Amino acid sequence: MGVKQAIKNLDAFPRAEEHLLQKTQSGALVSIVGLVIMTTLFFHELTYYLSTYTVHQMSVDLKRGETLPIHINMTFPSLPCDVLSVDAIDMSGKHEVDLDTNIWKLRLNSHGHIIGTEYLSDLVEKEHAAHKHDDENEHHDDADKKLHALGFNEEAENMIKKVKKALDNGEGCRVYGVLDVQRVAGNFHISVHGLNIYVAQMIFGGATHVNVSHMIHDLSFGPKYPGLHNPLDGTVRILHETSGTFKYYIKIVPTEYRYIWKEVLPTNQFSVSEYFSPMKEYDRSWPAVYFLYDLSPITVTIKEERRSFLHFITRLCAVLGGTFALTGMLDRWMYRLIEEVTKASGTRAYR
């Protein structure tokens, strides 16, 4: 009996007899409020536990011999697809002009609607038949004679006439696709550099008339991961009665994103600064949009992690226990307040 009594003395939750307990309306109200609060906090803590958070780590980039994917999606509202080319050059000396392997060009009318595919990469080739219109103007014959006099062949003549007609109609071009370049510093640019200089002169009448206004819908250096923001997405640069060269200086940071289920996504994030050089009348260069990139020697690893179950239980006990204790205190205060008010009312009624 002595041992049993000693164990009972350790009880931290002694129970009163049923007839000694008093239930009140204020106590019921506080209990309901406390139950609602505890239920809300429980689901909040559960959501917090099930959600993931990211941890950033940095290390030296050890990758070698890999390629760098460049995803492009841009619109040039004032230049037809026939004159646009995508050129790339890197520090290793590799120079590619008018890249087309994974680049698509979509012809756009003056309202920005697609009217045809000027070029579909060499993976899927399409031929577009030339349609002749009966309402051609007579001045085309005079233009043919001038082009022959300058020594252009028939192909160049047809191209010049086609581009001039597209410019008169306000055609634009949407360029999108993927460039796979070597993983070294370099640049790629979109311009009219793929044209013969004399052909370009015949089409535009000078470099100052080349309008490289553009909209960047998407520019990235790898797949996207949760929370990634590409600073050039949504960039719009429109030129009015002027021309020039845009240069975007890009610093690429190699990145690995590790999902909670251990899948690793290799990609890149970047920062950018911008510079515009207006074209002067006697400049010998032609307007273009340059993207000059360099790679950081540091790799950023982003890991998704989840909080431990023990952490969840600890927070849950603290929140629910604290709410229970607070509602108990509130119940006692309300009971005493009501008791005091009742006593004061009874005293005044007795007098």
Side-chain angles (χ1 to χ4, degrees):
M1 293 295 293
V3 175
K4 289 184 178 180
Q5 186 61 39
I7 293 175
K8 286 183 179 180
N9 290 336
L10 297 176
D11 186 5
F13 306 100
R15 303 195 179 192
E17 296 292 337
E18 188 70 27
H19 66 276
L20 298 176
L21 300 176
Q22 182 180 2
K23 296 185 178 181
T24 62
Q25 291 183 349
S26 62
L29 178 62
V30 171
S31 299
I32 293 173
V33 172
L35 183 61
V36 171
I37 293 174
M38 285 190 286
T39 303
T40 303
L41 292 177
F42 169 77
F43 283 108
H44 176 270
E45 289 299 321
L46 182 62
T47 304
Y48 181 70
Y49 165 68
L50 295 176
S51 64
T52 59
Y53 66 97
T54 56
V55 176
H56 293 67
Q57 298 175 342
M58 291 187 292
S59 60
V60 176
D61 184 17
L62 301 176
K63 295 179 181 177
R64 291 185 297 176
E66 297 183 5
T67 58
L68 178 69
I70 304 175
H71 300 262
I72 306 171
N73 189 352
M74 298 177 63
T75 294
F76 290 82
S78 302
L79 290 175
C81 289
D82 284 303
V83 301
L84 282 177
S85 67
V86 181
D87 310 326
I89 186 170
D90 58 45
M91 289 185 66
S92 67
K94 187 177 181 181
H95 186 193
E96 298 186 53
V97 179
D98 199 12
L99 294 172
D100 55 22
T101 301
N102 293 304
I103 298 297
W104 286 258
K105 299 177 186 177
L106 299 179
R107 292 174 56 202
L108 307 175
N109 62 16
S110 57
H111 301 290
H113 300 140
I114 298 173
I115 56 176
T117 304
E118 178 61 29
Y119 183 83
L120 189 61
S121 81
D122 58 8
L123 301 177
V124 184
E125 295 184 355
K126 286 188 176 182
E127 295 181 1
H128 297 276
H131 297 281
K132 294 184 178 180
H133 301 278
D134 296 330
D135 56 348
E136 291 181 343
N137 298 324
E138 294 180 357
H139 71 273
H140 285 178
D141 295 334
D142 296 332
D144 291 344
K145 293 178 181 178
K146 291 180 181 179
L147 292 173
H148 279 298
L150 292 171
F152 292 107
N153 58 30
E154 185 178 353
E155 183 180 355
E157 294 172 8
N158 292 335
M159 194 257 193
I160 291 172
K161 288 189 292 184
K162 181 181 178 182
V163 173
K164 283 188 173 182
K165 182 178 179 181
L167 287 170
D168 292 337
N169 294 334
E171 277 193 27
C173 186
R174 185 163 186 168
V175 181
Y176 69 98
V178 181
L179 297 177
D180 288 315
V181 299
Q182 297 188 62
R183 199 178 180 83
V184 294
N187 77 78
F188 67 94
H189 53 276
I190 304 175
S191 63
V192 297
H193 293 169
L195 293 176
N196 178 288
I197 187 171
Y198 300 106
V199 173
Q201 189 70 32
M202 284 295 299
I203 292 173
F204 296 103
T208 56
H209 299 132
V210 180
N211 189 340
V212 290
S213 297
H214 59 278
M215 293 168 279
I216 303 176
H217 308 292
D218 175 54
L219 181 71
S220 57
F221 296 86
K224 295 184 178 181
Y225 61 83
L228 174 65
H229 170 68
N230 292 322
L232 284 178
D233 290 0
T235 298
V236 178
R237 297 292 180 266
I238 303 297
L239 299 176
H240 299 283
E241 299 181 358
T242 186
S243 186
T245 295
F246 290 90
K247 291 184 179 180
Y248 297 96
Y249 296 90
I250 297 172
K251 191 69 171 182
I252 300 173
V253 181
T255 304
E256 282 188 352
Y257 192 89
R258 298 178 180 270
Y259 289 95
I260 192 71
W261 54 86
K262 305 303 181 183
E263 180 185 350
V264 179
L265 179 69
T267 183
N268 300 277
Q269 51 185 323
F270 66 93
S271 61
V272 63
S273 57
E274 178 183 350
Y275 175 73
F276 174 70
S277 175
M279 187 64 58
K280 298 177 182 177
E281 186 176 356
Y282 298 105
D283 282 347
R284 302 184 68 177
S285 60
W286 288 77
V289 179
Y290 282 85
F291 298 91
L292 302 97
Y293 57 88
D294 193 9
L295 284 90
S296 168
I298 301 299
T299 294
V300 175
T301 302
I302 305 174
K303 293 182 179 180
E304 282 186 347
E305 293 189 0
R306 181 168 288 151
R307 296 158 188 89
S308 68
F309 182 72
L310 185 60
H311 183 265
F312 167 66
I313 293 298
T314 303
R315 287 178 59 95
L316 193 61
C317 290
V319 168
L320 298 184
T323 305
F324 185 79
L326 183 61
T327 52
M329 292 171 58
L330 183 61
D331 176 53
R332 286 194 295 272
W333 292 340
M334 288 185 65
Y335 178 76
R336 290 175 182 175
L337 177 63
I338 293 172
E339 194 175 47
E340 291 296 330
V341 171
T342 304
K343 284 182 181 180
S345 300
T347 303
R348 284 196 299 269
Y350 178 75
R351 290 178 180 176

